[in-house]
Amino acid sequence: GLYHLDESVDRIETAVLESVIGRQLPMALGSLTGTSASFQDAENTSTGIFASFNWSFSDTVSATLGGRYTEEKKDIRTQVRSLADIDAIIAAPPTEEYLITASESWSAFTPRVALQWMPSDSLNLYASYSTGFKSGGFQGQAPT
């Protein structure tokens, strides 16, 4: 079999913050408010190929051998920008601007082996071994 996934995320979050001090002492410290936006663009691609084969050695004994090879690639761009004019002595977070980009790829082969014995119509005994795979990822939310 074959599996393929393309995922695209475009996200915008805005934050409007005002400190308690800024509301109580606006003349002394100026406005302690901050308005910012977090922009995120992420692209994820996953492709896998897999197969499973079953052999019957007799009417009661069989074996299964399978595997999957997966490749994943993730790209992310996240940016925080100030949307308000900050003339205050102290600005409320998150007003620090930044731009971060990252890209990473992962791949793995994950096998499966199983043995099955059916000594009667009402009893099925088996043993199975398999491994799994989970790629990494990136924090998508704006940090503090």
Side-chain angles (χ1 to χ4, degrees):
L2 180 65
Y3 172 83
H4 183 77
L5 167 75
D6 278 319
E7 178 183 38
S8 179
V9 176
D10 296 311
R11 187 172 87 183
I12 299 174
E13 293 180 16
T14 57
V16 179
L17 302 175
E18 183 175 333
S19 70
V20 174
I21 296 172
R23 284 197 313 261
Q24 294 177 1
L25 302 171
M27 299 307 235
L29 296 176
S31 173
L32 295 182
T33 63
T35 303
S36 65
S38 171
F39 303 92
Q40 180 191 95
D41 301 314
E43 301 290 330
N44 302 322
T45 303
S46 177
T47 303
I49 185 166
F50 54 92
S52 181
F53 303 95
N54 190 36
W55 290 274
S56 294
F57 299 107
S58 70
D59 290 341
T60 61
V61 178
S62 65
T64 301
L65 180 62
R68 176 185 171 112
Y69 179 76
T70 306
E71 288 186 351
E72 295 200 7
K73 182 172 186 342
K74 296 184 179 185
D75 301 297
I76 191 168
R77 178 182 167 271
T78 184
Q79 180 178 22
V80 168
R81 302 211 37 206
S82 177
L83 300 179
D85 184 22
I86 307 292
D87 291 328
I89 297 170
I90 302 170
T95 57
E96 182 179 342
E97 296 185 0
Y98 63 83
L99 172 63
I100 298 171
T101 60
S103 181
E104 189 67 51
S105 296
W106 299 269
S107 63
F109 174 74
T110 52
R112 178 176 187 265
V113 177
L115 297 172
Q116 180 181 10
W117 177 43
M118 295 181 62
S120 70
D121 289 340
S122 61
L123 185 60
N124 177 18
L125 302 173
Y126 67 93
S128 177
Y129 171 81
S130 61
T131 61
F133 166 72
K134 181 166 176 34
S135 66
F138 300 108
Q139 169 67 24
Q141 203 160 351
T144 59

